[in-house]
Amino acid sequence: MRISIRPPQNFNFKRTVLSHGWCALMPFEFDQQTWTLDRVLETNSSVPVTVRIRNKKRAIEIEPDRTVGARVTAAIERDVRHMLRLDDDLASFYDAMSAEPEFSWIPQQGAGRLLRSPTVFEDLVKMMCTTNCSWALTETMTKNLVKNLGRAARDGRKAFPTPAAMAGVSEKFYRDEVRSGYRAPYLKELADRVASGSLEVETWLASELPTTELKKQMKEVKGIGDYAAENLLRLVGRYDGLALDSWTRGKFAAVRNRGRAASDKKIGRYYSRFSSWRGLAFWCDLTRDWLEESCGAE
DNA sequence: GCGTCCAGGTCTACC
DNA sequence: GGTAGACCTGGACGC
């Protein structure tokens, strides 16, 4: 069985999948040799479905691990559209980038769609696991969450755990099994609040709050500070913040400041001309070298 | 082998 | 509102 989705014009599958580190975090599994992205999806079915996502000429091709009915097919399509940001309107971003010679590669290559998880909850948990640690530890914590608490698809691979599954284990479990250290109480509290319905993080996707207010709401989650909130804002489609961290500060120094450290204010000033798109312009600028220049829109 | 440092930060207490 | 210190983990590095 194969499901085909027509992407928007100049959609770039490679730039989207490799837009940041998410494709390396379970239950995403990415093979750069074959450019296939595997992912286990909950899809509200009795058993989760593993899908293989590929880029074909003028289409995104999705191959589920089994034949599924219309309801699950619709859920898979919805999740893939969401993850690959196929419905994001980047027209005004591309207009702004086209006006700047050093940024015109972005619309030319169709960059700017940042891979995200099927749910805000998953992105929020993962973001918490990126703070104050090496990338290797982020991968370990995510893997432990999925392997211990995720539901298995027929091929044995696991989905990302639901809020209820995460709420069902103790703080000790997060320390001992997930290896999340001091983040354990934060993860437990977040899962409890989302599972009980007292915190509705999925509403952030369509929130009408001004960005500053939405950021404030995100920071009310323990373990989420400026860096994590601004990264989450990008994943819900708001690009005002730069989400500065040690990696981006170092990369800005290398790419835009002759190898010398720059203050956060200086970094902010550099991208301020891009107004509400500055966070996306910043991220694309710093990750331009992640793919070859020949990797144009496809 | 052992000790130290620090990585895609955040929280809290204190001033 | 600004800042210092504490916080888990695990890999890298120097000795």
Side-chain angles (χ1 to χ4, degrees):
Chain A
M1 178 182 186
R2 287 196 176 145
I3 304 164
S4 188
I5 299 179
R6 187 163 186 176
Q9 199 177 12
N10 89 343
F11 170 73
N12 188 323
F13 182 76
K14 293 179 179 177
R15 278 277 175 199
T16 302
V17 171
L18 270 188
S19 52
H20 60 134
W22 254 213
C23 67
L25 297 181
M26 288 179 71
F28 282 115
E29 289 181 53
F30 172 56
D31 183 343
Q32 197 161 352
Q33 300 301 315
T34 57
W35 282 97
T36 54
L37 181 67
D38 289 2
R39 164 83 207 198
V40 184
L41 297 171
E42 269 289 345
T43 67
N44 290 324
S45 54
S46 56
V47 178
V49 182
T50 301
V51 296
R52 173 155 291 178
I53 307 167
R54 289 192 191 90
N55 191 47
K56 295 285 182 183
K57 277 188 179 174
R58 297 183 180 180
I60 306 294
E61 189 181 275
I62 309 161
E63 193 177 349
D65 64 354
R66 63 179 189 271
T67 300
V68 295
R71 187 178 55 82
V72 175
T73 299
I76 291 171
E77 275 194 43
R78 182 200 61 217
D79 282 351
V80 172
R81 297 194 76 86
H82 181 85
M83 293 188 294
L84 299 180
R85 319 291 293 262
L86 298 183
D87 298 314
D88 284 17
D89 181 5
L90 296 181
S92 67
F93 172 62
Y94 286 162
D95 284 347
M97 296 303 105
S98 296
E100 298 264 350
E102 287 192 77
F103 292 81
S104 60
W105 69 272
I106 296 171
Q108 284 163 13
Q109 289 198 25
R113 294 177 198 278
L114 306 182
L115 184 71
R116 63 185 171 189
S117 307
T119 65
V120 175
F121 174 71
E122 180 181 331
D123 282 334
L124 183 51
V125 169
K126 285 178 171 173
M127 206 61 78
M128 212 179 263
C129 294
T130 67
T131 58
N132 195 28
C133 65
S134 62
W135 183 250
L137 185 55
T138 299
E139 291 181 312
T140 298
M141 288 187 270
T142 308
K143 181 186 74 183
N144 290 338
L145 279 172
V146 171
K147 291 204 165 175
N148 285 302
L149 300 175
R151 290 203 306 149
R154 286 198 183 160
D155 62 2
R157 291 192 268 185
K158 301 278 188 77
F160 194 80
T162 60
M166 285 184 59
V169 294
S170 65
E171 185 182 316
K172 187 173 185 303
F173 180 90
Y174 287 101
R175 285 187 191 277
D176 298 346
E177 305 300 327
V178 179
R179 311 301 295 165
S180 62
Y182 71 90
R183 302 167 196 81
Y186 304 157
L187 289 167
K188 172 64 176 162
E189 184 182 316
L190 170 63
D192 285 345
R193 290 177 67 194
V194 174
S196 71
S198 66
L199 177 64
E200 296 181 319
V201 297
E202 304 306 322
T203 63
W204 291 348
L205 280 168
S207 171
E208 292 185 359
L209 288 173
T211 300
T212 49
E213 288 302 309
L214 184 55
K215 181 179 172 184
K216 198 172 157 188
Q217 210 174 89
M218 289 174 169
K219 287 179 68 176
E220 284 170 7
V221 175
K222 276 196 179 176
I224 298 297
D226 282 326
Y227 152 83
E230 288 178 7
N231 263 319
L232 273 170
L233 283 166
R234 284 183 191 159
L235 297 183
V236 300
R238 306 199 192 204
Y239 304 100
D240 317 41
L242 300 187
L244 290 166
D245 58 21
S246 56
W247 184 84
T248 53
R249 289 184 180 101
K251 187 76 181 194
F252 179 86
V255 171
R256 293 291 178 192
N257 207 39
R258 298 177 184 177
R260 293 198 305 270
S263 69
D264 291 358
K265 278 188 179 174
K266 181 172 183 178
I267 299 173
R269 278 199 304 274
Y270 188 86
Y271 296 95
S272 61
R273 62 188 185 277
F274 298 121
S275 186
S276 63
W277 291 111
R278 59 186 176 271
L280 191 53
F282 168 69
W283 184 254
C284 289
D285 195 30
L286 299 190
T287 56
R288 181 178 183 172
D289 61 359
W290 283 11
L291 281 172
E292 297 296 324
E293 290 297 310
S294 59
C295 179
E298 40 182 73

